[in-house]
């Protein structure tokens, strides 16, 4: 039995190492320790250069054209979940930021981003479906489900209101307090194993954080491989216990 478990563990580690080979190269200036400062590293302000050293996920509908690939990042410092998505320049419409979905462990919910007034109430006059002016908009907020408010910040940038192919696509970054996520799903924060954020109107790929919510988590494909490997070992152990 233990020989089989060791083989499964070894396979998971091999998959992890293979996945790490495909990750973008990290800058030595930003080690995992510095990620712990969270808000001091990632500011939700519409200046997106603080995401440049984080792992990147390609988001696409399996297009062969490299210009049709959106880019995304995800990260948690244990207090907040941070998400960043940049649309490719060939996407000719405003980003559908009202259709994001949050998955925590094996449960998920919509997390629409909507316009808000200064008092936090929903402002349905904000043109979330298209027609927002050029520039960075911060009069937005994330809602859990339909429509539970949470502690969040959003910055959404339109570089070209006509969305021509010569200019950059829209870009967004937002954060949600981890405690609000746990409360919404009625779970303890330390029971969160994986968090995924995806948007079916942008692409099939999900941005994934894997690890304990009490420690920094950076989204990466290798993290997902490791979770799959650990899950397989746990299922194998349970199956052997049932046979006994």
């Amino acid at each position: 039995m233990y020989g089989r478990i060791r083989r499964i563990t070894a396979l998971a580690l091999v998959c992890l190492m293979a996945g790490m080979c495909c990750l973008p190269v990290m800058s030595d200036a930003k080690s995992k320790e510095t990620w712990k400062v969270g808000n001091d590293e990632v500011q939700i302000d519409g200046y997106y250069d603080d995401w440049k050293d984080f792992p990147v996920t390609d988001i696409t509908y399996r297009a062969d054209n490299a210009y049709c690939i959106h880019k995304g990042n995800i990260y948690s410092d244990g207090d907040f979940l941070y998400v960043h998505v940049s649309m490719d320049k060939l996407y000719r419409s405003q980003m559908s930021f009202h259709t994001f979905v949050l998955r925590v462990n094996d449960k998920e919910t919509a997390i629409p981003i909507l316009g808000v007034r200064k008092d936090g109430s929903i402002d349905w006059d904000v043109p979330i479906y298209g027609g927002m002016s050029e520039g960075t908009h911060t009069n937005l907020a994330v809602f859990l489900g339909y429509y539970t408010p949470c502690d969040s910040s959003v910055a959404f940038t339109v570089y070209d209101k006509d969305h021509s192919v010569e200019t950059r696509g829209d870009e967004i970054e937002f954060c949600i307090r981890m405690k609000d996520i746990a409360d919404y799903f009625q779970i303890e924060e330390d029971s969160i194993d994986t968090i995924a954020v995806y948007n079916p109107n942008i692409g099939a790929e999900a941005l994934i954080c894997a690890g304990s919510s009490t420690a920094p988590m950076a989204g990466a494909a290798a993290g997902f491989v490791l979770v799959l490997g650990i899950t397989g070992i746990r299922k194998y152990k349970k199956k052997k216990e049932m046979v006994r």
Side-chain angles (χ1 to χ4, degrees):
M1 176 184 71
Y2 293 107
R4 176 70 180 278
I5 293 175
R6 283 196 294 270
R7 288 196 295 272
I8 296 174
T9 305
L11 178 60
L13 290 174
V14 170
C15 292
L16 173 61
M17 293 175 66
M20 291 177 68
C21 293
C22 301
L23 295 178
V25 177
M26 301 286 185
S27 167
D28 291 337
K30 188 191 292 288
S31 68
K32 216 167 187 180
E33 283 298 308
T34 64
W35 291 351
K36 291 182 180 179
V37 295
N39 273 329
D40 293 334
E41 288 295 312
V42 178
Q43 298 286 342
I44 306 301
D45 54 9
Y47 296 95
Y48 305 101
D49 57 347
D50 46 6
W51 287 98
K52 61 184 176 62
D53 292 328
F54 285 83
V56 178
T57 296
D58 289 343
I59 307 171
T60 177
Y61 280 111
R62 299 177 177 85
D64 295 328
N65 189 339
Y67 291 103
C68 293
I69 297 176
H70 317 304
K71 301 293 183 180
N73 316 81
I74 191 169
Y75 160 68
S76 173
D77 61 2
D79 293 323
F80 282 85
L81 175 71
Y82 301 85
V83 177
H84 167 240
V85 175
S86 177
M87 303 298 288
D88 69 68
K89 65 191 309 181
L90 296 185
Y91 194 80
R92 301 297 306 279
S93 304
Q94 181 175 297
M95 180 194 298
S96 300
F97 55 75
H98 57 286
T99 55
F100 279 99
V101 178
L102 170 68
R103 184 166 62 241
V104 176
N105 297 344
D106 59 349
K107 299 178 180 179
E108 66 178 40
T109 186
I111 49 168
I113 295 174
L114 304 172
V116 291
R117 302 182 181 89
K118 290 184 178 180
D119 62 0
S121 61
I122 298 175
D123 184 355
W124 295 107
D125 291 330
V126 174
I128 61 174
Y129 301 106
M132 297 188 76
S133 61
E134 293 178 8
T136 296
H137 303 264
T138 57
N139 59 328
L140 303 164
V142 182
F143 290 83
L144 297 169
Y146 301 100
Y147 296 97
T148 301
C150 62
D151 188 357
S152 69
S153 295
V154 181
F156 172 65
T157 303
V158 177
Y159 296 102
D160 176 10
K161 63 181 178 60
D162 297 322
H163 295 93
S164 64
V165 296
E166 288 81 19
T167 54
R168 295 173 61 181
D170 298 341
E171 198 163 2
I172 195 169
E173 61 181 355
F174 60 90
C175 69
I176 314 171
R177 184 177 291 278
M178 293 288 289
K179 183 180 185 304
D180 290 345
I181 293 174
D183 288 347
Y184 181 84
F185 285 102
Q186 298 182 337
I187 59 177
E188 298 294 330
E189 285 186 68
D190 58 9
S191 69
I192 297 176
D193 292 322
T194 58
I195 301 176
V197 173
Y198 67 95
N199 190 323
N201 286 344
I202 294 177
E205 291 79 9
L207 307 175
I208 298 170
C209 272
S212 169
S213 63
T214 59
M217 301 183 287
F224 188 49
V225 171
L226 181 59
V227 170
L228 288 177
I230 293 173
T231 301
I233 294 171
R234 287 174 178 169
K235 287 182 178 179
Y236 176 75
K237 286 182 176 179
K238 288 180 179 179
K239 184 176 180 180
K240 294 298 288 183
E241 289 172 356
M242 289 175 65
V243 171
R244 289 179 182 176

